[in-house]
Amino acid sequence: MSYEVVGITVLWIFLYGYLIVASIDFGAGFFSYYSRITNKKHVVHNIIQRYLSPVWEVTNVFLVFFFVGIVGFFPDTAYYYGTALLIPGSIAIILLALRGSYYAFATYGAKDSHLYSFLYGATGLLIPASLTTVLTISEGGYLFVENGNVQLLYGELFTSAYSWGVVFLAIVSVLFISAAFLTYYASRAKDKPALEVVRKYALSWSLPTIITGIVVFFLLGKRNPEHFSNMMDLWWMFGISFVTFVGATVLIWKRRNYGTAFVLVMIQFFTAFFAYGAAHLPYLLYPYLTIYDGFTNEAMAIALIVAFIGGLLLLIPSLILLMRLFLFDAEYVEGKK
Amino acid sequence: MFGFEYDPVIYSRILTALTLGFHIIFATIGVGVPLMIAIAEWMGIKRNDPHYTLLARRWARGFVVTVAVGVVTGTAIGLQLSLLWPNFMQAAGHTIGLPLFLEIFAFFFEAIFLGIYLYTWDRFKSKMKHFLLVIPIVIGASASAFFITTVNGFMNIPQGFELVDGVLTNVNPLVAMFNPATPTKVAHVIITCYLTSAFILGTIAAIHLIKGNNHVYHKKALHLTMVSGAVFAIATAVIGDLSGKYLHEYQPEKLAAAEWHFETETEAPLILGGILTEDNEVKYALEIPYALSILAGGTPGSEVVGLNDFPEDELPPLWVHYAFDLMVGIGMYLAAVSVLFVVMSWRKKWNPLNKPLLWAVAAGGPLSMIAIESGWVFAEVGRQPWIINGIMRTEEGATTSAHVDIMFVLFVTLYIILGVTCAVVLRRMFKKNPVEHELEKRGMEQPKRVSNE
């Protein structure tokens, strides 16, 4: 594998990691607020809080990791995406800032406020929508580049079916992934009432997720035929994605093996996300930037990869410790510690 | 807005200054407070004194709230670097990608252990085990300060690459990271974070004592923070001196601007305070003979390069002198107050808890934060007009986007909201649950039996 491919693979894995952990978090915020206005707060609030409190900060790091990493490996992305995304990027920052800090204010400041809860729920849906702008414009046709000046075509962005499709896909996926995880977590916690609520959420978001997924798949075909035909070459990966989706939904429906169901959901998104990403190569931004012309120098590439391996050696044991203490420790999950 | 024409460079500079200025309040606390928490928890174990353990616990609780704001504003500055300075990041990404990347690892490490630390106060039988969890937090916090400061060092003394026809070649990331600015900058940043945090926590204790709340808990807190503060203040002075020598050798224009030093000469005087007239005359200033030469080179005979030796369009604005003086002045004040407190505590007959000294300590927290801000302003504005010293001018690095002014307004609003809520939440947290109440609730005779929070 060339350094370019190693670099983008590393980054894509981290983006996938963010997709999963952030979805759980974003969806949990929404469900937490939704259950509040439907007077079911006392049922699900506890399990959501028990999971989120120790890990919310870690979630944020995945995102920072990705955007710092991409500038490190592909400095030219800073130029194109940085110039074009000033407004959507800033909006995402503001939403993330409100969300992160108000979560901490509410949790550690020990004040149960309706406003905080609303902010937390609403931003959980708006952030995925604003972050997906990056994926949307990477397909090409949304930028105007002339004399080294890059502009985002807002008219095109807001009127294109594809960009709206991606926004909806992001939101429903967030809710589905999150509900599937919470179902598993509630079953670990042996919290029957909560389990009933979140299981219903998971089932009701499963169908919208797969339908939007298929719709966006075909919208992309219209938007970027080259990317689409590459994706068709990887049809089997999307096939695995679909099969695992069906498997997960059936398990949740039959109230069995919630843990396996969540792993299947993770595979569902892993295969779809990687097939999408692999088919997009070699472009980082169609048609201006490929992973080859935007790549950093060799010395930096080696240094980054070494740092990455060293970092992982440190991180993986720590993450395992975190999960053992808060995710797989039955007594903690059940609320006895 | 502001009556001048829209210029993305100016707005990018103001917005970056705003975000960074807001972020470093929380970043400073984020680097320094974990060490203070560690010291307090350690004292609690060593002396078997539950007061210190409770101190660590309460500090940690307040700390998370500030960490949250630090994390989100740190994310903001991280993204803004690419959004506001795309050309700079495109060029610099080739040389500073490594420390930026490593900083995230350090932060990751810290984030993981902070989550664990906060939720395991009562989970382990051995107190020592829980104490060990704070060590990765201290290391992670200081390591991220280290890595990010090397990036800033690179912007001051860029090296580790060759520039051939405007293209960066022969890059060596480690040489770029360990540039001559790195040792003094990193040491200065980390030690002042420790110093500031010690004083901020000292301020809290002092205010309680001023209010007549004479609980031994607050006395212990004050003593702990002031002894640490004195150590950090002395270290800061030593490192500050080294920083002066570094500037003399590598960035003489910055030192000259800080000191309004116009003519190259030996036996140069140090100028304190004063104002600069329009024809560059220094008025009302206190001059200390030879001091600048000694600061710069170690002997009165050292020659200090003056501003007149540089092309005018490569000089920073001369008002950085005020920021420099403010920083140094406050540094001296903090050293004096903490050392005085320590000396007075040694002597049996002297009372370090007298009102004037308490007030002096109480002022130290806010003042130290002002010193951090003015130190940053001096360091950053002092290298203008360059974004990468000698390589790329600031206006070449900025975005060309047409909307930076709107973003500026949005971010001002955001920071006001965050700042106010953070203050309100912190106040309420500790008002609602005063120390006496918590001591009682935890039954300090059997400090082990406490509920999870």
Side-chain angles (χ1 to χ4, degrees), chain A residues 277-291:
Chain A
H280 200 286
L281 290 180
Y283 289 105
L284 287 169
L285 175 60
Y286 184 88
Y288 301 107
L289 194 60
T290 67
I291 55 171

mmCIF file with all atom_site columns, all heavy atoms in Angstrom, chain A residues 277-291:
data_model
loop_
_atom_site.group_PDB
_atom_site.id
_atom_site.type_symbol
_atom_site.label_atom_id
_atom_site.label_alt_id
_atom_site.label_comp_id
_atom_site.label_asym_id
_atom_site.label_entity_id
_atom_site.label_seq_id
_atom_site.pdbx_PDB_ins_code
_atom_site.Cartn_x
_atom_site.Cartn_y
_atom_site.Cartn_z
_atom_site.occupancy
_atom_site.B_iso_or_equiv
_atom_site.pdbx_formal_charge
_atom_site.auth_seq_id
_atom_site.auth_comp_id
_atom_site.auth_asym_id
_atom_site.auth_atom_id
_atom_site.pdbx_PDB_model_num
ATOM 1   N N   . GLY A 1 277 ? -16.487 5.101  0.631   1.00 0.00 ? 277 GLY A N   1
ATOM 2   C CA  . GLY A 1 277 ? -15.186 5.780  0.658   1.00 0.00 ? 277 GLY A CA  1
ATOM 3   C C   . GLY A 1 277 ? -14.230 5.214  -0.381  1.00 0.00 ? 277 GLY A C   1
ATOM 4   O O   . GLY A 1 277 ? -13.573 5.963  -1.109  1.00 0.00 ? 277 GLY A O   1
ATOM 5   N N   . ALA A 1 278 ? -14.176 3.878  -0.488  1.00 0.00 ? 278 ALA A N   1
ATOM 6   C CA  . ALA A 1 278 ? -13.241 3.263  -1.427  1.00 0.00 ? 278 ALA A CA  1
ATOM 7   C C   . ALA A 1 278 ? -13.600 3.651  -2.860  1.00 0.00 ? 278 ALA A C   1
ATOM 8   O O   . ALA A 1 278 ? -12.729 3.910  -3.693  1.00 0.00 ? 278 ALA A O   1
ATOM 9   C CB  . ALA A 1 278 ? -13.266 1.746  -1.263  1.00 0.00 ? 278 ALA A CB  1
ATOM 10  N N   . ALA A 1 279 ? -14.896 3.731  -3.143  1.00 0.00 ? 279 ALA A N   1
ATOM 11  C CA  . ALA A 1 279 ? -15.320 4.075  -4.493  1.00 0.00 ? 279 ALA A CA  1
ATOM 12  C C   . ALA A 1 279 ? -15.022 5.535  -4.812  1.00 0.00 ? 279 ALA A C   1
ATOM 13  O O   . ALA A 1 279 ? -14.902 5.924  -5.965  1.00 0.00 ? 279 ALA A O   1
ATOM 14  C CB  . ALA A 1 279 ? -16.818 3.798  -4.649  1.00 0.00 ? 279 ALA A CB  1
ATOM 15  N N   . HIS A 1 280 ? -14.925 6.345  -3.793  1.00 0.00 ? 280 HIS A N   1
ATOM 16  C CA  . HIS A 1 280 ? -14.657 7.777  -3.983  1.00 0.00 ? 280 HIS A CA  1
ATOM 17  C C   . HIS A 1 280 ? -13.206 8.004  -4.389  1.00 0.00 ? 280 HIS A C   1
ATOM 18  O O   . HIS A 1 280 ? -12.876 9.012  -5.016  1.00 0.00 ? 280 HIS A O   1
ATOM 19  C CB  . HIS A 1 280 ? -14.981 8.522  -2.696  1.00 0.00 ? 280 HIS A CB  1
ATOM 20  C CG  . HIS A 1 280 ? -15.208 9.981  -2.886  1.00 0.00 ? 280 HIS A CG  1
ATOM 21  N ND1 . HIS A 1 280 ? -14.191 10.877 -3.139  1.00 0.00 ? 280 HIS A ND1 1
ATOM 22  C CD2 . HIS A 1 280 ? -16.342 10.723 -2.863  1.00 0.00 ? 280 HIS A CD2 1
ATOM 23  C CE1 . HIS A 1 280 ? -14.689 12.100 -3.255  1.00 0.00 ? 280 HIS A CE1 1
ATOM 24  N NE2 . HIS A 1 280 ? -15.991 12.022 -3.101  1.00 0.00 ? 280 HIS A NE2 1
ATOM 25  N N   . LEU A 1 281 ? -12.330 7.066  -4.032  1.00 0.00 ? 281 LEU A N   1
ATOM 26  C CA  . LEU A 1 281 ? -10.901 7.225  -4.332  1.00 0.00 ? 281 LEU A CA  1
ATOM 27  C C   . LEU A 1 281 ? -10.689 7.216  -5.844  1.00 0.00 ? 281 LEU A C   1
ATOM 28  O O   . LEU A 1 281 ? -11.441 6.571  -6.559  1.00 0.00 ? 281 LEU A O   1
ATOM 29  C CB  . LEU A 1 281 ? -10.102 6.113  -3.662  1.00 0.00 ? 281 LEU A CB  1
ATOM 30  C CG  . LEU A 1 281 ? -10.033 6.215  -2.142  1.00 0.00 ? 281 LEU A CG  1
ATOM 31  C CD1 . LEU A 1 281 ? -9.214  5.059  -1.579  1.00 0.00 ? 281 LEU A CD1 1
ATOM 32  C CD2 . LEU A 1 281 ? -9.459  7.535  -1.706  1.00 0.00 ? 281 LEU A CD2 1
ATOM 33  N N   . PRO A 1 282 ? -9.684  7.851  -6.358  1.00 0.00 ? 282 PRO A N   1
ATOM 34  C CA  . PRO A 1 282 ? -8.648  8.557  -5.605  1.00 0.00 ? 282 PRO A CA  1
ATOM 35  C C   . PRO A 1 282 ? -9.028  9.989  -5.231  1.00 0.00 ? 282 PRO A C   1
ATOM 36  O O   . PRO A 1 282 ? -8.183  10.725 -4.765  1.00 0.00 ? 282 PRO A O   1
ATOM 37  C CB  . PRO A 1 282 ? -7.493  8.571  -6.605  1.00 0.00 ? 282 PRO A CB  1
ATOM 38  C CG  . PRO A 1 282 ? -8.175  8.712  -7.936  1.00 0.00 ? 282 PRO A CG  1
ATOM 39  C CD  . PRO A 1 282 ? -9.461  7.945  -7.798  1.00 0.00 ? 282 PRO A CD  1
ATOM 40  N N   . TYR A 1 283 ? -10.286 10.380 -5.414  1.00 0.00 ? 283 TYR A N   1
ATOM 41  C CA  . TYR A 1 283 ? -10.619 11.790 -5.170  1.00 0.00 ? 283 TYR A CA  1
ATOM 42  C C   . TYR A 1 283 ? -10.895 12.077 -3.704  1.00 0.00 ? 283 TYR A C   1
ATOM 43  O O   . TYR A 1 283 ? -11.614 11.334 -3.034  1.00 0.00 ? 283 TYR A O   1
ATOM 44  C CB  . TYR A 1 283 ? -11.847 12.205 -5.986  1.00 0.00 ? 283 TYR A CB  1
ATOM 45  C CG  . TYR A 1 283 ? -11.543 12.291 -7.451  1.00 0.00 ? 283 TYR A CG  1
ATOM 46  C CD1 . TYR A 1 283 ? -11.986 11.304 -8.329  1.00 0.00 ? 283 TYR A CD1 1
ATOM 47  C CD2 . TYR A 1 283 ? -10.791 13.345 -7.939  1.00 0.00 ? 283 TYR A CD2 1
ATOM 48  C CE1 . TYR A 1 283 ? -11.677 11.374 -9.675  1.00 0.00 ? 283 TYR A CE1 1
ATOM 49  C CE2 . TYR A 1 283 ? -10.481 13.421 -9.290  1.00 0.00 ? 283 TYR A CE2 1
ATOM 50  C CZ  . TYR A 1 283 ? -10.922 12.434 -10.148 1.00 0.00 ? 283 TYR A CZ  1
ATOM 51  O OH  . TYR A 1 283 ? -10.608 12.509 -11.469 1.00 0.00 ? 283 TYR A OH  1
ATOM 52  N N   . LEU A 1 284 ? -10.328 13.195 -3.245  1.00 0.00 ? 284 LEU A N   1
ATOM 53  C CA  . LEU A 1 284 ? -10.728 13.722 -1.944  1.00 0.00 ? 284 LEU A CA  1
ATOM 54  C C   . LEU A 1 284 ? -11.801 14.763 -2.157  1.00 0.00 ? 284 LEU A C   1
ATOM 55  O O   . LEU A 1 284 ? -12.694 14.950 -1.346  1.00 0.00 ? 284 LEU A O   1
ATOM 56  C CB  . LEU A 1 284 ? -9.533  14.383 -1.249  1.00 0.00 ? 284 LEU A CB  1
ATOM 57  C CG  . LEU A 1 284 ? -8.470  13.445 -0.701  1.00 0.00 ? 284 LEU A CG  1
ATOM 58  C CD1 . LEU A 1 284 ? -7.247  14.236 -0.299  1.00 0.00 ? 284 LEU A CD1 1
ATOM 59  C CD2 . LEU A 1 284 ? -9.018  12.685 0.490   1.00 0.00 ? 284 LEU A CD2 1
ATOM 60  N N   . LEU A 1 285 ? -11.670 15.477 -3.268  1.00 0.00 ? 285 LEU A N   1
ATOM 61  C CA  . LEU A 1 285 ? -12.664 16.472 -3.629  1.00 0.00 ? 285 LEU A CA  1
ATOM 62  C C   . LEU A 1 285 ? -12.766 16.415 -5.140  1.00 0.00 ? 285 LEU A C   1
ATOM 63  O O   . LEU A 1 285 ? -11.871 16.840 -5.852  1.00 0.00 ? 285 LEU A O   1
ATOM 64  C CB  . LEU A 1 285 ? -12.209 17.866 -3.173  1.00 0.00 ? 285 LEU A CB  1
ATOM 65  C CG  . LEU A 1 285 ? -13.097 19.031 -3.588  1.00 0.00 ? 285 LEU A CG  1
ATOM 66  C CD1 . LEU A 1 285 ? -14.492 18.863 -3.026  1.00 0.00 ? 285 LEU A CD1 1
ATOM 67  C CD2 . LEU A 1 285 ? -12.511 20.346 -3.108  1.00 0.00 ? 285 LEU A CD2 1
ATOM 68  N N   . TYR A 1 286 ? -13.864 15.839 -5.585  1.00 0.00 ? 286 TYR A N   1
ATOM 69  C CA  . TYR A 1 286 ? -14.033 15.643 -7.021  1.00 0.00 ? 286 TYR A CA  1
ATOM 70  C C   . TYR A 1 286 ? -14.305 16.972 -7.698  1.00 0.00 ? 286 TYR A C   1
ATOM 71  O O   . TYR A 1 286 ? -15.148 17.714 -7.224  1.00 0.00 ? 286 TYR A O   1
ATOM 72  C CB  . TYR A 1 286 ? -15.192 14.666 -7.250  1.00 0.00 ? 286 TYR A CB  1
ATOM 73  C CG  . TYR A 1 286 ? -15.420 14.305 -8.690  1.00 0.00 ? 286 TYR A CG  1
ATOM 74  C CD1 . TYR A 1 286 ? -14.748 13.246 -9.270  1.00 0.00 ? 286 TYR A CD1 1
ATOM 75  C CD2 . TYR A 1 286 ? -16.309 15.039 -9.471  1.00 0.00 ? 286 TYR A CD2 1
ATOM 76  C CE1 . TYR A 1 286 ? -14.954 12.912 -10.589 1.00 0.00 ? 286 TYR A CE1 1
ATOM 77  C CE2 . TYR A 1 286 ? -16.510 14.711 -10.799 1.00 0.00 ? 286 TYR A CE2 1
ATOM 78  C CZ  . TYR A 1 286 ? -15.831 13.655 -11.352 1.00 0.00 ? 286 TYR A CZ  1
ATOM 79  O OH  . TYR A 1 286 ? -16.026 13.340 -12.671 1.00 0.00 ? 286 TYR A OH  1
ATOM 80  N N   . PRO A 1 287 ? -13.693 17.331 -8.784  1.00 0.00 ? 287 PRO A N   1
ATOM 81  C CA  . PRO A 1 287 ? -12.565 16.700 -9.465  1.00 0.00 ? 287 PRO A CA  1
ATOM 82  C C   . PRO A 1 287 ? -11.250 17.434 -9.214  1.00 0.00 ? 287 PRO A C   1
ATOM 83  O O   . PRO A 1 287 ? -10.316 17.310 -9.978  1.00 0.00 ? 287 PRO A O   1
ATOM 84  C CB  . PRO A 1 287 ? -12.977 16.869 -10.926 1.00 0.00 ? 287 PRO A CB  1
ATOM 85  C CG  . PRO A 1 287 ? -13.676 18.210 -10.952 1.00 0.00 ? 287 PRO A CG  1
ATOM 86  C CD  . PRO A 1 287 ? -14.243 18.443 -9.578  1.00 0.00 ? 287 PRO A CD  1
ATOM 87  N N   . TYR A 1 288 ? -11.184 18.206 -8.101  1.00 0.00 ? 288 TYR A N   1
ATOM 88  C CA  . TYR A 1 288 ? -10.027 19.090 -7.919  1.00 0.00 ? 288 TYR A CA  1
ATOM 89  C C   . TYR A 1 288 ? -8.846  18.422 -7.220  1.00 0.00 ? 288 TYR A C   1
ATOM 90  O O   . TYR A 1 288 ? -7.705  18.792 -7.415  1.00 0.00 ? 288 TYR A O   1
ATOM 91  C CB  . TYR A 1 288 ? -10.431 20.326 -7.111  1.00 0.00 ? 288 TYR A CB  1
ATOM 92  C CG  . TYR A 1 288 ? -11.531 21.108 -7.772  1.00 0.00 ? 288 TYR A CG  1
ATOM 93  C CD1 . TYR A 1 288 ? -12.815 21.091 -7.259  1.00 0.00 ? 288 TYR A CD1 1
ATOM 94  C CD2 . TYR A 1 288 ? -11.270 21.848 -8.919  1.00 0.00 ? 288 TYR A CD2 1
ATOM 95  C CE1 . TYR A 1 288 ? -13.827 21.800 -7.875  1.00 0.00 ? 288 TYR A CE1 1
ATOM 96  C CE2 . TYR A 1 288 ? -12.282 22.551 -9.535  1.00 0.00 ? 288 TYR A CE2 1
ATOM 97  C CZ  . TYR A 1 288 ? -13.569 22.531 -9.014  1.00 0.00 ? 288 TYR A CZ  1
ATOM 98  O OH  . TYR A 1 288 ? -14.556 23.213 -9.627  1.00 0.00 ? 288 TYR A OH  1
ATOM 99  N N   . LEU A 1 289 ? -9.158  17.499 -6.349  1.00 0.00 ? 289 LEU A N   1
ATOM 100 C CA  . LEU A 1 289 ? -8.116  17.052 -5.439  1.00 0.00 ? 289 LEU A CA  1
ATOM 101 C C   . LEU A 1 289 ? -8.152  15.532 -5.311  1.00 0.00 ? 289 LEU A C   1
ATOM 102 O O   . LEU A 1 289 ? -9.187  14.969 -4.968  1.00 0.00 ? 289 LEU A O   1
ATOM 103 C CB  . LEU A 1 289 ? -8.396  17.692 -4.076  1.00 0.00 ? 289 LEU A CB  1
ATOM 104 C CG  . LEU A 1 289 ? -7.304  17.661 -3.030  1.00 0.00 ? 289 LEU A CG  1
ATOM 105 C CD1 . LEU A 1 289 ? -6.070  18.368 -3.533  1.00 0.00 ? 289 LEU A CD1 1
ATOM 106 C CD2 . LEU A 1 289 ? -7.811  18.335 -1.770  1.00 0.00 ? 289 LEU A CD2 1
ATOM 107 N N   . THR A 1 290 ? -7.012  14.899 -5.578  1.00 0.00 ? 290 THR A N   1
ATOM 108 C CA  . THR A 1 290 ? -6.933  13.456 -5.354  1.00 0.00 ? 290 THR A CA  1
ATOM 109 C C   . THR A 1 290 ? -5.996  13.222 -4.168  1.00 0.00 ? 290 THR A C   1
ATOM 110 O O   . THR A 1 290 ? -5.319  14.147 -3.715  1.00 0.00 ? 290 THR A O   1
ATOM 111 C CB  . THR A 1 290 ? -6.344  12.707 -6.569  1.00 0.00 ? 290 THR A CB  1
ATOM 112 O OG1 . THR A 1 290 ? -4.974  13.085 -6.691  1.00 0.00 ? 290 THR A OG1 1
ATOM 113 C CG2 . THR A 1 290 ? -7.101  13.044 -7.831  1.00 0.00 ? 290 THR A CG2 1
ATOM 114 N N   . ILE A 1 291 ? -5.978  11.985 -3.685  1.00 0.00 ? 291 ILE A N   1
ATOM 115 C CA  . ILE A 1 291 ? -5.091  11.722 -2.554  1.00 0.00 ? 291 ILE A CA  1
ATOM 116 C C   . ILE A 1 291 ? -3.629  11.833 -2.979  1.00 0.00 ? 291 ILE A C   1
ATOM 117 O O   . ILE A 1 291 ? -2.757  11.971 -2.155  1.00 0.00 ? 291 ILE A O   1
ATOM 118 C CB  . ILE A 1 291 ? -5.346  10.338 -1.903  1.00 0.00 ? 291 ILE A CB  1
ATOM 119 C CG1 . ILE A 1 291 ? -5.261  9.223  -2.925  1.00 0.00 ? 291 ILE A CG1 1
ATOM 120 C CG2 . ILE A 1 291 ? -6.663  10.307 -1.180  1.00 0.00 ? 291 ILE A CG2 1
ATOM 121 C CD1 . ILE A 1 291 ? -5.283  7.844  -2.283  1.00 0.00 ? 291 ILE A CD1 1
#
